[in-house]
Amino acid sequence: MSGSVQVVQKLQEQHQLQQHHQLQQHHQLQQHHQLQQHHQLQQHHHQQQRRYESSYHLSTKSSVSKQSFSTYKTSSHRVKTSVKTEKVQQELKLSPLPKRAKRTYLAMDKDKEVIGYVIPVFRANHDVVRGLMEAQEEDVTEEGINYVAMRNLFVREAREALDVKVEKKTRTKYVRESAERLEVNRTMDEWAEFRKKMNPDNLTHRPEFIVKPRGQTVWEGKTVKLHCTVAGWPKPKIAWYKNNVLIDAKAHPEKYTVESNYNMHSLEIKNCDFFDTAQYHISALNVKGESSCVATIVVKSSISETCLAAGESSSSFPLHGVTFETTIIDKFEVAFGSEGETLSLGCTVIIFPTVKRYQPDVVWYRNSVPLKPSKWVHTHWSGERATLTLVHLNKEDEGLYTLRINTKSGFETYSAYVFVRDAEVEVEGVPVAPLDVRCHDANKDYVVVTWKQPAVEGSSAILGYYIDRCEVGTHHWAQCNDNPVKYARFPVTGLVEGRSYIFRVRAVNSAGVSRPSRVSEPVVAMDPSDRARLRAGPSAPWTGMIKFTEEEPTVGVVPGEPSDVMVTEATKSYVVLAWKPPVQRGHEGVMYYIEKCMSGTDTWQRVNTAMPVKSPRFALFDLAEGKSYSFRVRCCNSAGVGEPSVSTGEITVADKLDLPSAPGNPVATRNTDTSVVVSWGASKGVTQLVGYYIDCSVVGTDVWMPCNNKPVKQTRFVCHGLTTGVNYVFRIKAVNAAGYSQSSPNSDAVVVKAAISVPGKPTGVTLLEAVKDYMVLGWTEPANNGGADIRGYFVDYRTVKGNIVGKWHEMNLKALTTTTFKAENLKENVFYEFQVRAVNMAGVSKGSVPSAPLECKEWTITVPGAPVGLHVLEVRDTSVVVLWEPPLFDGRSPVNGYYLDIKEASAGEEGWKAVHEKTNKMKYMKVTGLKAGTSYVFRVRAQNIAGVGKPSATLGPILAQTRPGTKDIYVDVDDDGVISMVFECSEMKEGSEFVWSKNYQAITDTSRLTITHERGKSRAIFNSPSLDDLGTFSCVVTNTDGISSSYTLTEEGESAHTLGISAHRIWCSPVIPFKNEMAMELLEKGRVRFWTQVEKCTSACQVDYVFNDVIITQGKKYTMNFDKSTGIIEMFMDSLEVTDEGTFTFNLVDGKAKGTTSLVLIGDEFRELQKKSEFARAEWVRKQGPHFVEYLDFTVTPQCDVLLKCKISKKDAGIYEVFLSDDRGKDKSTFNLTDAVSMSSYFYFFPSANSSSEIQVTSTEHGIILYSMVTHYNEDLRVGWLHKDAKIAASERVKSGVTGEQLWLKINEPTEKDKGKYTMDIFDGKDGVKRVFDLTGKDRARVVGGLPDVVAIQEGKSLNLTGNVWGDPAPEVSWTKNEKALVSDEHLMLKFEHGKFASITITAVTTSDSGKYALLVKNKYGAEAGEFTVSVYNPEDEEKEEKKD
């Protein structure tokens, strides 16, 4: 066959040569010109051959191959062809080509004029082409073959262009075409030079920037990326610098990302802020030298989106020349929440000055990532307060939250950490839920699910995880894996293309399975290219042009082989393969078959025999651990199955990812009263690190508690929520996808207490007095003393002349102990600026804000100077006490009073108003009537005869809010009648002391009070109480955040001052406190009991019993009792007579203390009580003889007989008669029960004990009731209850009794201890019966979690809440709103699923949906209610109310 082909090829060559000579004879001139063009192009392409694979090189190889290749067959199987040269013979695998029309290689215009030629594309893969290039370099005769092929090609195709038309070109067109050719040549030369430099086979050369990084200007909060391309050999090393400081991207992964791929380098800067404005250098270094380049990044603050949204441009606002000052107050602190709860964070923002219609840009961040509103995250900006609400907390919500306020003049931020604790587990010992479930590498039928391991493994190590999936729009969860997977990464297959799925993960250990994690974001099963096209959005707009492209027909063509088959993941549980689709695959798409071959065999087995996969990813399970396998992939379509890909090589089925190594030794240091800073060494050699978990334990215990429930990647963490004064140790463990590392060694024990730091800056540096050569300065002490007392102050000064300021100089070498200073040796008429620094045992603070330029010039004013030393005490929701010191400069006359001014912190200067009208002569004042949660600013002005002086430096802003846990002073009277005032503080620090004062001045007369301290409690004891002790007593705890309180004693119990200070009355004689006032109780036999109870008394306490101001004593009518151990005082009366109407009084005397309590019984109340007493006594008398327990009654039997019945007791022996009479006559029936024999036979005929039923159980809102019904009950029946064969003692929680014919045992608030066997022992005098009931394994219905306390939701939104319930048997569930039962409808849907999850859904909530809701659960062992409040708000209504205010 090959011989015949060679003969045909030779005949074709001869025929082509003949045609060539004929054409030369007829068209010598034309062909000469065309050959010149042909040689030029051939030389040009030949120069570019080694620089890149050009279409000319491919076409020449193709033409040569056509002469030596055998004719291929048009079938679905590939054909092997050969290329022969003089030196080498090479076998190539070519992709099959379908039959088609003969291709023309001449390029013609619309007039069929030849304007060039087209080189056919050589069909082979990249490796084959590179092999042909290398063969050409080795064989110099290849160039001749190329020339012959091109000549023959040109001659053969030139016959179709015999009619040559000559086109006349203008000079302009000729010049343009020449310029274009020059431009093309220059471009080709540049590319050649570029390829030469990028080719590693060339000689080494120093780095050179082909593409330099470009400077950029970005908005704050955005991400910017610098790109560049660097050439050089050997491959240069790259380093990035910021302002000549090396950037360590690994140390700050949350800020920087550095990438280097194929000589392309980039630096990504995330969440840009003002401090990212800098010059960024990139340095490239190799053995030949170093090159660098610089780019400048400028970060600008963003324009308020609120203004732009309103249709106003920034220029329409009066913002030019306005500098905004932003202050964040009422800041949220470190917060703690539990899973399922709702948590709100908020800050009050003050922006000065206030510009109408201008609003700042409010952005919330979590771990430096901006938060977007979602069903889990709600943000609100009221114009003054920014609020972030986290609905249904999960551990994914844990992190550092930052509030950023962007204005035209800059930005202000505040950050605090939010911790999310695990919800209580339903079964003790099971692990907590995993977190951060994400989906990656989604394809048509495949997705990789990843998650993070929880911080708590439970009572035993986690054995693995279960992955569940749910199709979006349904509520059916399907488990994806039968056996738990150990890795925190799992490939899920079998998805349906085009459908969306969500996933969740559950952890399992030997104790059971955890709760499911929060569901992942929905992911669509589709081809990644389709997803990218959908994300790209709409195509380019219509341009009015339509372009047609002729595509090669591929129907009926078997697809080629996949490429780059590799193993992306390999564990002992599964292996994941990935590959690239074939180039030749057609428009109908391809699917894949995967084959495996075990090491040591040649047998290939198809893995997915039932159905080919659509995605270029596949996960293989059920492989033998420790064995080696090879894998390959085949493509298939409707035309058939293609050839297999290249094998992956042997892959061993085993875990490729190792557990991380143990972190380094942790070091714990003091931070605050409730937090400790822990730092540790990073795990060495760890790959794919997820983060670290920190555990803490109280010294002396072996109970470890997690400090964080979301892993952190930094090697430093602040552990909050610790108990002050307790010793803790800490340990660290690292985690990656493979699992947990070994725990690090325990840290040294550290006591939780605040660390001492340098104090804050002093404030309010003002001029108090000025003379020719000295000035008196005053300032306010810093708000933060750094955890230690301020030891003094240093004053610095500098001269000011115009806009030129001098250097700072110290004025005092020894620290000042006061907040005033006399600056001497100054020059007259010279301006000075001053700053003050505070010092404590930790060091010197930063300098205060410099004062305004002050002129050293003698004052001639007559009014007093400004008061100094303003500070506040006793800050509460509606009040605050402001104190100050008098001015140093009194003016021409002494100061005779003060005025206190106040304004809200957000108001302007026009907002100042006086607190009082008349002059205040005191140096303190209590301001009342404040709004809770509002910040205020204060100032004081002094007055003398000449007038009112300048106001003092402002104090504040002060937030009107009572600190959590704040306690007030209270008055206590002991057993001896000693009066004292007590103040307690639970936030005592090292060095804290109680300081008492009277009228806010130091107590100088110590003979009046004796002060004692004991364990956070201070007591001020009055030695001899008298009117001299009247006044306001206050107590301040030093070294705290202003903890203080006061108590005012006045003679008449009303305020004697005009300051508005609330007063409390105190008597010179102490009062005995009563726990209960006198009460009355009606007893059996009609007796009346009067009683009361005192809180405490001594053994010497005496009681006088008084009736209508007359002391009564014990006798026949009255019986008294006083139990001093319990404090109960009782008086009994056998009956009430008409003369007993009046007032009953108990007078108590206990040393100096006295007490009185009374009860008035007059009028209708007395007469009604008297009737009840008489009736009760009559009933008791009746029951002393034969009597009816139940009076005569009748019932109708099923046989229509009338049965008359009554009930008597056993001891009621006698003759009973029944009389029956009407108009016709009368009759009598007598029954004799006097005979003992008949009595015995009658009563024993109906044994009471045997008539009792089995014990049953019922539930109430308070607990459960065990009961038995007795058909025949008599008073001699004795009943005893036993629990676990032990007699039950009666208490407030467990009670037993008889109601009618029911014998019952009530158990309120049952616990686990109440489970077990209960026995009811019944004895009727003759027989005994025991009824047994077992409560083992039974659980009362409970609401175990999931419901928040309060839900705030915007009108129009949908509310969905799910409560977790528990009980055995499964409880009955109902919902109520405002104590009314709810019924499911279209607006309100109620569901109860799996016996555990009760959900309520309210669609499009309105304000009418606000109210108090409850989830009621009940089974026969108990009932419980989970209550929550729903508040629906309308933002528009809130804005209207704010405008009205």
Side-chain angles (χ1 to χ4, degrees):
M1 182 66 182
S2 60
S4 61
V5 172
Q6 293 178 357
V7 171
V8 173
Q9 291 175 349
K10 290 181 179 180
L11 292 175
Q12 290 178 354
E13 291 175 0
Q14 293 177 1
H15 180 65
Q16 291 174 358
L17 289 173
Q18 291 177 1
Q19 291 179 347
H20 173 61
H21 291 304
Q22 292 175 1
L23 288 173
Q24 282 182 336
Q25 293 175 1
H26 294 285
H27 306 285
Q28 183 176 3
L29 183 61
Q30 292 85 347
Q31 185 165 344
H32 178 70
H33 177 67
Q34 293 175 355
L35 284 175
Q36 287 181 348
Q37 293 180 347
H38 166 70
H39 286 300
Q40 292 176 357
L41 288 174
Q42 184 179 15
Q43 293 175 0
H44 176 69
H45 287 292
H46 181 68
Q47 293 174 357
Q48 303 299 326
Q49 286 180 29
R50 297 198 50 206
R51 298 170 185 166
Y52 56 92
E53 288 87 37
S54 65
S55 61
Y56 169 74
H57 181 77
L58 296 175
S59 62
T60 55
K61 291 295 181 183
S62 177
S63 61
V64 175
S65 301
K66 284 183 179 181
Q67 296 181 7
S68 58
F69 288 177
S70 60
T71 305
Y72 62 87
K73 298 179 181 181
T74 58
S75 65
S76 62
H77 300 285
R78 66 175 60 197
V79 181
K80 295 184 179 180
T81 60
S82 299
V83 177
K84 296 183 179 180
T85 61
E86 294 181 2
K87 292 185 177 181
V88 296
Q89 179 176 354
Q90 187 173 3
E91 183 172 314
L92 305 176
K93 294 181 180 181
L94 301 180
S95 300
L97 293 174
K99 290 183 178 179
R100 61 189 70 184
K102 182 179 180 181
R103 181 183 299 171
T104 177
Y105 299 102
L106 295 180
M108 301 183 183
D109 60 6
K110 59 183 180 180
D111 295 329
K112 300 298 182 180
E113 182 179 356
V114 178
I115 59 176
Y117 59 90
V118 179
I119 307 302
V121 177
F122 180 70
R123 293 184 173 274
N125 59 29
H126 184 74
D127 294 335
V128 173
V129 173
R130 186 173 297 277
L132 292 178
M133 292 177 63
E134 294 174 355
Q136 182 187 17
E137 293 175 358
E138 296 175 359
D139 191 355
V140 295
T141 61
E142 193 71 13
E143 183 177 358
I145 298 175
N146 292 342
Y147 176 78
V148 173
M150 288 302 303
R151 184 189 61 188
N152 295 341
L153 174 65
F154 180 81
V155 172
R156 182 173 68 250
E157 300 297 336
R159 291 180 300 172
E160 301 178 7
L162 295 178
D163 299 332
V164 179
K165 295 182 179 180
V166 179
E167 179 184 0
K168 294 182 179 180
K169 298 182 181 179
T170 63
R171 180 174 180 81
T172 302
K173 185 175 182 180
Y174 178 81
V175 171
R176 184 172 63 252
E177 291 179 349
S178 300
E180 291 175 353
R181 284 195 299 271
L182 292 175
E183 181 65 21
V184 171
N185 293 336
R186 186 179 65 82
T187 302
M188 298 300 294
D189 292 338
E190 290 178 354
W191 271 101
E193 186 66 21
F194 171 73
R195 295 299 300 181
K196 180 179 179 181
K197 292 179 179 179
M198 299 296 290
N199 188 356
D201 295 332
N202 288 330
L203 296 177
T204 60
H205 60 277
R206 69 192 301 269
E208 182 179 357
F209 284 87
I210 306 303
V211 177
K212 298 181 180 180
R214 179 174 57 88
Q216 302 181 46
T217 300
V218 296
W219 297 114
E220 285 182 329
K222 301 297 182 181
T223 298
V224 65
K225 204 168 188 179
L226 299 176
H227 299 271
C228 67
T229 302
V230 182
W233 187 257
K235 186 177 180 180
K237 294 183 179 181
I238 301 300
W240 290 88
Y241 297 85
K242 174 184 177 182
N243 289 338
N244 297 324
V245 178
L246 180 65
I247 296 176
D248 189 356
K250 293 183 178 180
H252 304 281
E254 75 285 353
K255 187 66 177 178
Y256 302 104
T257 300
V258 175
E259 294 181 353
S260 297
N261 295 315
Y262 305 104
N263 295 331
M264 299 276 298
H265 307 279
S266 64
L267 170 66
E268 183 180 18
I269 308 172
K270 306 170 187 175
N271 190 21
C272 292
D273 55 26
F274 174 77
F275 299 101
D276 292 321
T277 300
Q279 286 187 339
Y280 292 84
H281 296 255
I282 178 173
S283 174
L285 176 67
N286 65 5
V287 295
K288 298 297 290 183
E290 186 267 345
S291 296
S292 63
C293 196
V294 64
T296 302
I297 298 296
V298 178
V299 182
K300 291 187 175 182
S301 58
S302 58
I303 302 176
S304 174
E305 296 179 359
T306 307
C307 301
L308 298 179
E312 301 282 354
S313 64
S314 60
S315 60
S316 62
F317 292 93
L319 302 181
H320 297 289
V322 178
T323 300
F324 292 100
E325 296 182 2
T326 304
T327 304
I328 300 178
I329 60 175
D330 189 15
K331 303 172 182 177
F332 61 93
E333 298 179 352
V334 174
F336 296 87
S338 297
E339 286 185 303
E341 297 179 350
T342 297
L343 180 66
S344 293
L345 309 175
C347 289
T348 300
V349 181
I350 300 174
I351 299 178
F352 182 80
T354 302
V355 177
K356 188 177 181 181
R357 293 184 297 173
Y358 177 79
Q359 293 293 333
D361 181 24
V362 180
V363 185
W364 288 89
Y365 295 86
R366 178 170 59 221
N367 297 331
S368 301
V369 178
L371 292 177
K372 296 181 179 180
S374 64
K375 65 178 180 179
W376 309 116
V377 178
H378 298 163
T379 59
H380 180 67
W381 167 248
S382 64
E384 292 183 355
R385 187 167 180 83
T387 306
L388 173 69
T389 303
L390 303 174
V391 180
H392 197 84
L393 282 174
N394 273 84
K395 289 177 287 189
E396 290 86 344
D397 298 321
E398 183 172 295
L400 181 65
Y401 284 78
T402 301
L403 171 63
R404 181 186 176 99
I405 308 297
N406 297 317
T407 63
K408 166 185 169 293
S409 305
F411 66 90
E412 192 71 24
T413 62
Y414 173 74
S415 301
Y417 213 90
V418 172
F419 295 86
V420 181
R421 298 187 177 98
D422 290 296
E424 294 185 2
V425 295
E426 298 178 356
V427 180
E428 186 176 358
V430 300
V432 298
L435 67 154
D436 201 14
V437 180
R438 299 176 182 268
C439 299
H440 308 274
D441 198 17
N443 279 272
K444 297 179 182 179
D445 55 0
Y446 167 97
V447 68
V448 175
V449 179
T450 63
W451 60 92
K452 293 178 181 177
Q453 295 91 336
V456 180
E457 296 185 80
S459 59
S460 61
I462 292 178
L463 302 176
Y465 302 88
Y466 288 117
I467 297 88
D468 303 331
R469 76 181 182 197
C470 177
E471 189 173 337
V472 175
T474 67
H475 299 283
H476 174 68
W477 286 93
Q479 188 169 301
C480 300
N481 55 317
D482 296 329
N483 299 319
V485 295
K486 188 70 175 177
Y487 269 45
R489 184 180 181 92
F490 185 76
V492 177
T493 58
L495 306 181
V496 180
E497 184 177 1
R499 297 186 181 180
S500 298
Y501 296 88
I502 54 177
F503 298 87
R504 70 184 186 187
V505 181
R506 295 170 294 147
V508 59
N509 66 0
S510 58
V513 182
S514 73
R515 294 178 297 102
S517 66
R518 175 184 279 184
V519 299
S520 67
E521 293 294 330
V523 61
V524 183
M526 63 187 305
D527 190 271
S529 60
D530 296 336
R531 182 181 290 105
R533 185 167 59 253
L534 291 176
R535 290 178 178 175
S539 58
W542 170 251
T543 59
M545 298 176 61
I546 301 179
K547 296 183 178 180
F548 295 92
T549 303
E550 181 182 357
E551 298 184 356
E552 298 178 357
T554 56
V555 178
V557 177
V558 176
E561 63 184 38
S563 60
D564 297 340
V565 181
M566 64 182 66
V567 176
T568 58
E569 295 184 46
T571 68
K572 61 182 179 182
S573 303
Y574 62 87
V575 170
V576 178
L577 299 178
W579 59 88
K580 293 182 180 179
V583 177
Q584 187 68 29
R585 53 179 173 173
H587 300 297
E588 59 177 316
V590 295
M591 293 188 289
Y592 307 95
Y593 285 112
I594 293 84
E595 298 176 351
K596 67 178 180 179
C597 176
M598 185 176 290
S599 177
T601 65
D602 296 330
T603 304
W604 288 91
Q605 298 177 352
R606 183 168 293 178
V607 178
N608 53 332
T609 56
M611 178 67 68
V613 296
K614 298 180 180 180
S615 303
R617 303 285 189 279
F618 189 75
L620 291 87
F621 299 89
D622 300 329
L623 299 176
E625 183 179 355
K627 299 293 184 180
S628 297
Y629 295 86
S630 298
F631 304 95
R632 66 185 186 185
V633 183
R634 292 178 183 265
C635 299
C636 66
N637 60 9
S638 59
V641 180
E643 293 294 325
S645 66
V646 178
S647 171
T648 59
E650 294 186 358
I651 302 297
T652 303
V653 180
D655 292 336
K656 302 298 183 182
L657 184 62
D658 295 329
L659 292 173
S661 59
N665 293 336
V667 177
T669 55
R670 290 164 50 184
N671 187 41
T672 68
D673 285 336
T674 58
S675 65
V676 168
V677 178
V678 182
S679 58
W680 61 91
S683 297
K684 298 181 180 179
V686 62
T687 57
Q688 302 180 20
L689 177 68
V690 173
Y692 299 94
Y693 282 119
I694 301 95
D695 298 333
C696 67
S697 176
V698 178
V699 174
T701 67
D702 195 24
V703 179
W704 289 93
M705 299 169 291
C707 296
N708 62 317
N709 282 302
K710 184 178 181 180
V712 295
K713 288 192 174 181
Q714 297 82 7
T715 56
R716 180 183 182 275
F717 188 74
V718 181
C719 300
H720 289 271
L722 306 178
T723 304
T724 305
V726 177
N727 277 355
Y728 285 89
V729 292
F730 299 85
R731 69 183 184 187
I732 318 295
K733 58 182 176 182
V735 62
N736 64 0
Y740 304 93
S741 71
Q742 295 292 328
S743 296
S744 68
N746 295 348
S747 69
D748 293 335
V750 60
V751 179
V752 180
K753 61 172 63 176
I756 299 176
S757 60
V758 297
K761 302 178 182 179
T763 58
V765 181
T766 56
L767 178 63
L768 304 179
E769 184 181 1
V771 190
K772 291 183 179 180
D773 57 350
Y774 73 87
M775 289 189 287
V776 180
L777 305 172
W779 58 87
T780 304
E781 63 182 11
N784 177 23
N785 61 4
D789 293 335
I790 301 295
R791 294 187 173 183
Y793 301 91
F794 292 98
V795 180
D796 301 333
Y797 76 97
R798 66 183 179 186
T799 58
V800 179
K801 188 174 183 179
N803 295 327
I804 302 175
V805 295
K807 294 182 180 180
W808 288 107
H809 302 280
E810 295 181 356
M811 293 210 71
N812 58 309
L813 299 179
K814 184 178 180 180
L816 306 171
T817 57
T818 62
T819 56
T820 58
F821 177 67
K822 183 178 180 181
E824 298 178 314
N825 300 323
L826 303 179
K827 296 181 180 179
E828 189 176 2
N829 299 328
V830 175
F831 285 88
Y832 295 89
E833 286 184 356
F834 299 91
Q835 71 174 12
V836 183
R837 292 172 290 141
V839 60
N840 65 0
M841 62 183 301
V844 181
S845 72
K846 295 181 179 180
S848 65
V849 176
S851 66
L854 305 174
E855 185 179 6
C856 186
K857 181 179 179 180
E858 185 173 3
W859 280 1
T860 58
I861 57 178
T862 58
V863 295
V868 296
L870 272 70
H871 61 284
V872 294
L873 294 176
E874 305 169 32
V875 180
R876 302 293 188 266
D877 287 338
T878 58
S879 65
V880 65
V881 176
V882 183
L883 302 96
W884 59 88
E885 296 295 332
L888 298 180
F889 179 72
D890 292 340
R892 293 293 178 90
S893 60
V895 174
N896 57 18
Y898 302 92
Y899 290 97
L900 176 63
D901 299 335
I902 185 176
K903 79 176 183 71
E904 293 188 7
S906 58
E909 289 297 321
E910 66 280 0
W912 287 104
K913 60 181 179 181
V915 176
H916 52 97
E917 296 181 0
K918 296 182 180 179
T919 303
N920 173 32
K921 298 184 180 299
M922 302 295 180
K923 292 180 290 184
Y924 64 90
M925 174 170 281
K926 186 170 186 178
V927 183
T928 60
L930 304 180
K931 298 178 182 178
T934 304
S935 297
Y936 295 90
V937 180
F938 302 91
R939 70 183 184 187
V940 181
R941 294 170 293 151
Q943 173 187 276
N944 62 7
I945 297 177
V948 180
K950 293 182 179 180
S952 66
T954 58
L955 171 66
I958 304 298
L959 178 64
Q961 185 178 48
T962 303
R963 287 170 51 93
T966 298
K967 297 182 180 180
D968 292 322
I969 297 175
Y970 64 92
V971 175
D972 180 55
V973 181
D974 63 8
D975 298 339
D976 298 328
V978 177
I979 305 173
S980 60
M981 295 180 294
V982 181
F983 183 47
E984 299 179 0
C985 177
S986 59
E987 301 183 16
M988 297 288 290
K989 301 179 181 179
E990 184 178 359
S992 297
E993 296 179 355
F994 291 95
V995 178
W996 288 85
S997 62
K998 182 179 181 181
N999 296 330
Y1000 298 100
Q1001 294 182 356
I1003 298 177
T1004 56
D1005 187 2
T1006 56
S1007 63
R1008 307 295 307 172
L1009 286 176
T1010 300
I1011 299 175
T1012 61
H1013 309 294
E1014 181 182 3
R1015 295 183 180 179
K1017 179 188 294 186
S1018 180
R1019 184 183 297 269
I1021 304 172
F1022 289 96
N1023 297 330
S1024 180
S1026 65
L1027 294 179
D1028 295 335
D1029 294 318
L1030 299 180
T1032 299
F1033 290 86
S1034 62
C1035 184
V1036 178
V1037 182
T1038 62
N1039 199 18
T1040 61
D1041 191 12
I1043 296 178
S1044 57
S1045 180
S1046 64
Y1047 196 97
T1048 302
L1049 306 177
T1050 60
E1051 182 178 3
E1052 300 298 333
E1054 297 179 357
S1055 177
H1057 308 292
T1058 60
L1059 305 179
I1061 300 177
S1062 62
H1064 303 275
R1065 179 172 181 134
I1066 181 169
W1067 300 90
C1068 293
S1069 297
V1071 177
I1072 299 176
F1074 285 89
K1075 184 177 293 185
N1076 295 298
E1077 294 295 333
M1078 183 186 293
M1080 182 275 301
E1081 183 180 3
L1082 188 62
L1083 305 178
E1084 191 181 14
K1085 303 180 184 181
R1087 301 182 70 199
V1088 181
R1089 174 180 179 245
F1090 298 91
W1091 70 281
T1092 186
Q1093 186 177 11
V1094 296
E1095 290 187 357
K1096 57 182 178 179
C1097 63
T1098 65
S1099 59
C1101 184
Q1102 300 294 328
V1103 181
D1104 289 336
Y1105 303 90
V1106 179
F1107 173 65
N1108 291 338
D1109 298 331
V1110 177
I1111 298 177
I1112 55 179
T1113 59
Q1114 186 164 336
K1116 294 183 179 180
K1117 187 173 184 178
Y1118 301 102
T1119 302
M1120 291 83 167
N1121 180 40
F1122 183 16
D1123 188 350
K1124 297 179 181 179
S1125 61
T1126 60
I1128 296 178
I1129 305 172
E1130 299 174 302
M1131 183 180 74
F1132 299 92
M1133 297 177 63
D1134 292 337
S1135 62
L1136 285 179
E1137 301 176 359
V1138 177
T1139 57
D1140 293 328
E1141 183 177 5
T1143 302
F1144 296 85
T1145 305
F1146 295 163
N1147 290 330
L1148 285 78
V1149 178
D1150 192 0
K1152 297 181 180 180
K1154 298 180 180 180
T1156 301
T1157 179
S1158 301
L1159 180 66
V1160 179
L1161 289 177
I1162 59 175
D1164 295 339
E1165 184 178 358
F1166 172 77
R1167 285 186 287 274
E1168 183 179 357
L1169 179 62
Q1170 186 183 18
K1171 289 180 181 179
K1172 291 181 179 180
S1173 174
E1174 292 175 352
F1175 176 78
R1177 182 164 183 81
E1179 281 291 295
W1180 178 81
V1181 172
R1182 182 180 69 84
K1183 292 181 179 180
Q1184 300 308 306
H1187 67 280
F1188 290 95
V1189 178
E1190 293 182 5
Y1191 287 99
L1192 187 65
D1193 195 5
F1194 75 92
T1195 58
V1196 180
T1197 66
Q1199 292 78 22
C1200 294
D1201 296 332
V1202 177
L1203 177 64
L1204 299 178
K1205 64 176 184 177
C1206 63
K1207 186 175 182 180
I1208 63 175
S1209 62
K1210 179 181 177 181
K1211 62 184 178 180
D1212 298 328
I1215 298 174
Y1216 291 84
E1217 297 179 343
V1218 179
F1219 294 90
L1220 182 66
S1221 65
D1222 60 8
D1223 296 339
R1224 297 171 295 176
K1226 62 179 180 179
D1227 195 6
K1228 179 178 73 172
S1229 177
T1230 303
F1231 187 73
N1232 190 351
L1233 285 179
T1234 58
D1235 188 10
V1237 176
S1238 62
M1239 285 287 294
S1240 300
S1241 61
Y1242 177 79
F1243 280 100
Y1244 292 147
F1245 182 77
F1246 301 102
S1248 300
N1250 290 325
S1251 67
S1252 63
S1253 65
E1254 294 294 334
I1255 297 177
Q1256 301 180 22
V1257 63
T1258 185
S1259 63
T1260 66
E1261 61 178 342
H1262 302 294
I1264 59 176
I1265 299 177
L1266 304 179
Y1267 68 93
S1268 174
M1269 304 301 297
V1270 182
T1271 305
H1272 307 288
Y1273 175 77
N1274 61 72
E1275 295 179 352
D1276 294 335
L1277 197 67
R1278 290 178 297 184
V1279 181
W1281 289 89
L1282 296 89
H1283 179 217
K1284 298 179 181 179
D1285 298 329
K1287 186 176 180 180
I1288 298 177
S1291 64
E1292 290 296 328
R1293 196 176 68 86
V1294 181
K1295 299 179 181 179
S1296 62
V1298 181
T1299 303
E1301 296 179 348
Q1302 186 186 72
L1303 312 177
W1304 49 262
L1305 175 68
K1306 295 181 181 179
I1307 305 175
N1308 295 329
E1309 297 296 330
T1311 63
E1312 292 291 330
K1313 296 181 180 179
D1314 295 320
K1315 292 183 178 181
K1317 182 179 72 173
Y1318 285 83
T1319 304
M1320 182 178 67
D1321 193 355
I1322 310 173
F1323 182 73
D1324 57 11
K1326 180 181 180 181
D1327 295 331
V1329 177
K1330 290 187 177 182
R1331 305 295 185 190
V1332 179
F1333 187 82
D1334 194 357
L1335 274 178
T1336 303
K1338 309 300 189 297
D1339 287 323
R1340 63 169 296 199
R1342 292 179 294 140
V1343 180
V1344 297
L1347 295 177
D1349 294 331
V1350 179
V1351 177
I1353 186 171
Q1354 183 177 342
E1355 187 175 12
K1357 303 289 186 179
S1358 294
L1359 174 65
N1360 179 268
L1361 295 175
T1362 300
N1364 301 329
V1365 302
W1366 186 257
D1368 183 17
E1372 300 176 0
V1373 173
S1374 62
W1375 294 83
T1376 63
K1377 174 187 175 184
N1378 297 332
E1379 300 182 354
K1380 294 182 180 180
L1382 296 177
V1383 180
S1384 182
D1385 55 21
E1386 294 181 356
H1387 177 63
L1388 188 145
M1389 292 178 287
L1390 307 176
K1391 293 183 180 180
F1392 184 45
E1393 299 174 335
H1394 310 299
K1396 293 183 180 180
F1397 307 106
S1399 63
I1400 180 173
T1401 302
I1402 307 176
T1403 58
V1405 298
T1406 62
T1407 53
S1408 61
D1409 293 319
S1410 298
K1412 187 175 182 179
Y1413 290 75
L1415 169 61
L1416 304 179
V1417 295
K1418 178 181 179 182
N1419 63 7
K1420 65 180 182 179
Y1421 300 112
E1424 189 172 283
E1427 298 180 348
F1428 60 95
T1429 302
V1430 175
S1431 176
V1432 182
Y1433 65 90
N1434 190 332
E1436 296 180 357
D1437 295 343
E1438 292 184 358
E1439 292 178 0
K1440 292 179 182 178
E1441 293 178 1
E1442 292 175 359
K1443 291 181 180 179
K1444 291 180 181 179
D1445 295 339

